[in-house]
Amino acid sequence: MRALVFQGPGRTAWQEVPDPALKDPTDVIVRVDAVTICGTDLHIVKGDLPEVTPGRVLGHEAVGTVVEIGGDVRSVRPGDRVLVSCISSCGRCRFCRESRYGQCRGGGGWVLGHTIDGTQAEYVRVPFADLSVYPLPSTVDSADAVLLADIFPTAYEVGVLNGNVRPGDTVVVVGAGPVGLAAIATARLYSPARVIAVDLEPSRLARARELGADAVVNAAEEPEMLVGDLTDGLGADVVMEAVGMPEAFEMCTRMVRPGGRVANIGVHGKPATLHLEDLWIKDVTITTGLVDTCSTPMLLLMLAAGRLPTSPLITHRFELGRMEEAYEVFSHAGETGALKVVVLGGPRHDDLAVSNPSRVQKT
């Protein structure tokens, strides 16, 4: 098959690699029908995550069709269209039993495109399938569904739930990229008094307005002053960092009120200064987190009911063979206006070597 392969910092290639094969009885093989690119993938390509080694197939989000299942898989069968979660769960370790799947110690957690080959390929092996893939109703579009593999659960769990958004709160989201926009949309579910979006790009601020932000401000135009004006100098109840830059995190800590919450969502490749000389007296709660995807079933129900605004986040679509072009567009979002880039499966080889022909989709 063909896949996008990390070849070292700054280098990737769309190239031929061996087809995936079942390794454990809990695995499934999925034909990739839709995949997307995450900001974390850009961090990997930059070299910010040294545990990702050259030769790794990238990607951790996909929608696809099951073509082969291991002997212990019970929740799906060949031919099922499924959402492939960015997080895999063994279901047995202490953290999985607490629904903290991102911290799985049984071989799961964030493994796809990280420690095992990922989804930016024609086919992918998904471990722990019963807890890591989700059957999709026919009414849900694949391009919309793929946004629930990562960005919506991440924004909701690491931003909204960790930030403990409550009715009447003033919520600030720093960074109106895909995750920040998803945070705005899901924060609205809790009836905050106002949501304020902060970004450098006017087009992203305009999209934030469309998704429910009550006020927007350019990050270069003293957003702390606007937050102070709107809260009588108190500061925001909840501030979410959705950029992954030290300057953005430090801005968040300046905008939060005494007793407020800072929820860091962004992936950081550099240290950020924690100004405890200012924060120690303010009773501020700071949270970090890797998504657990425990909210995915609920978000899928909302998507199927038409209650989750996914389509406005999709700005570009490509065929699978144009993965490198999709990366170029996504990595230059300031110039291209890209938010979420969806890559849809195109022509591919259909003959796949399998370990158990009785558990394969008939074509």
Side-chain angles (χ1 to χ4, degrees):
M1 69 172 185
R2 298 185 72 83
L4 191 82
V5 179
F6 176 63
Q7 297 187 328
R11 295 182 294 119
T12 61
W14 179 251
Q15 65 184 60
E16 288 190 358
V17 299
D19 291 333
L22 297 176
K23 292 185 177 180
D24 298 304
T26 55
D27 293 348
V28 295
I29 304 297
V30 174
R31 184 190 71 207
V32 175
D33 300 325
V35 68
T36 186
I37 304 168
C38 181
T40 304
D41 296 322
L42 300 185
H43 279 282
I44 292 171
V45 174
K46 286 170 59 180
D48 290 342
L49 283 81
E51 62 270 25
V52 181
T53 55
R56 176 70 61 227
V57 175
L58 296 180
H60 51 267
E61 307 158 88
V63 166
T65 303
V66 176
V67 296
E68 185 180 11
I69 65 174
D72 290 348
V73 175
R74 297 291 180 267
S75 64
V76 295
R77 56 186 178 179
D80 286 350
R81 190 171 66 111
V82 296
L83 172 69
V84 177
S85 175
C86 66
I87 299 295
S88 302
S89 167
C90 79
R92 298 184 300 271
C93 72
R94 168 186 170 173
F95 291 111
C96 287
R97 287 176 178 271
E98 296 173 355
S99 297
R100 298 184 63 188
Y101 308 133
Q103 302 302 320
C104 175
R105 290 297 183 268
W110 173 36
V111 293
L112 290 169
H114 185 207
T115 58
I116 67 173
D117 286 339
T119 58
Q120 290 169 6
E122 294 179 338
Y123 296 89
V124 60
R125 177 182 72 91
V126 184
F128 307 116
D130 281 338
L131 291 170
S132 306
V133 301
Y134 300 85
L136 291 174
S138 60
T139 55
V140 172
D141 181 75
S142 294
D144 291 328
V146 78
L147 302 193
L148 271 62
D150 186 350
I151 67 164
F152 268 89
T154 294
Y156 179 65
E157 295 173 18
V158 185
V160 176
L161 294 185
N162 279 3
N164 192 21
V165 175
R166 296 177 291 205
D169 277 352
T170 292
V171 177
V172 178
V173 179
V174 177
V179 173
L181 293 172
I184 291 168
T186 51
R188 300 297 308 178
L189 301 173
Y190 290 83
S191 300
R194 61 178 68 87
V195 177
I196 304 165
V198 181
D199 202 281
L200 286 168
E201 292 294 331
S203 62
R204 293 190 168 195
L205 293 175
R207 194 60 59 94
R209 282 267 194 199
E210 294 174 17
L211 288 169
D214 301 287
V216 299
V217 57
N218 192 292
E221 297 177 358
E222 299 184 351
E224 297 99 323
M225 185 175 295
L226 173 65
V227 173
D229 289 344
L230 292 175
T231 60
D232 295 325
L234 189 64
D237 301 284
V238 182
V239 187
M240 303 182 204
E241 200 281 353
V243 180
M245 296 294 291
E247 301 84 356
F249 175 78
E250 291 165 29
M251 179 191 296
C252 291
T253 63
R254 293 195 298 270
M255 290 191 290
V256 67
R257 68 164 172 83
R261 290 89 67 194
V262 175
N264 183 88
I265 312 173
V267 176
H268 288 262
K270 299 178 181 178
T273 302
L274 183 62
H275 288 283
L276 286 176
E277 73 278 11
D278 298 322
L279 294 171
W280 73 270
I281 202 171
K282 292 178 67 175
D283 296 343
V284 171
T285 298
I286 298 174
T287 59
T288 65
L290 175 66
V291 64
D292 293 310
T293 66
C294 57
S295 66
T296 300
M298 178 271 291
L299 294 171
L300 278 172
L301 288 173
M302 293 187 62
L303 179 63
R307 301 299 179 92
L308 209 59
T310 51
S311 295
L313 274 67
I314 301 170
T315 55
H316 295 75
R317 297 174 188 241
F318 297 89
E319 284 192 356
L320 194 59
R322 298 170 62 194
M323 182 66 74
E324 290 175 301
E325 183 181 350
Y327 260 84
E328 187 71 15
V329 168
F330 185 66
S331 63
H332 293 86
E335 303 163 22
T336 64
L339 287 172
K340 208 60 180 167
V341 170
V342 174
V343 185
L344 300 168
R348 76 195 83 199
H349 77 286
D350 290 323
D351 294 327
L352 194 71
V354 298
S355 55
N356 189 342
S358 66
R359 294 179 175 271
V360 182
Q361 179 189 9
K362 304 300 183 183
T363 58

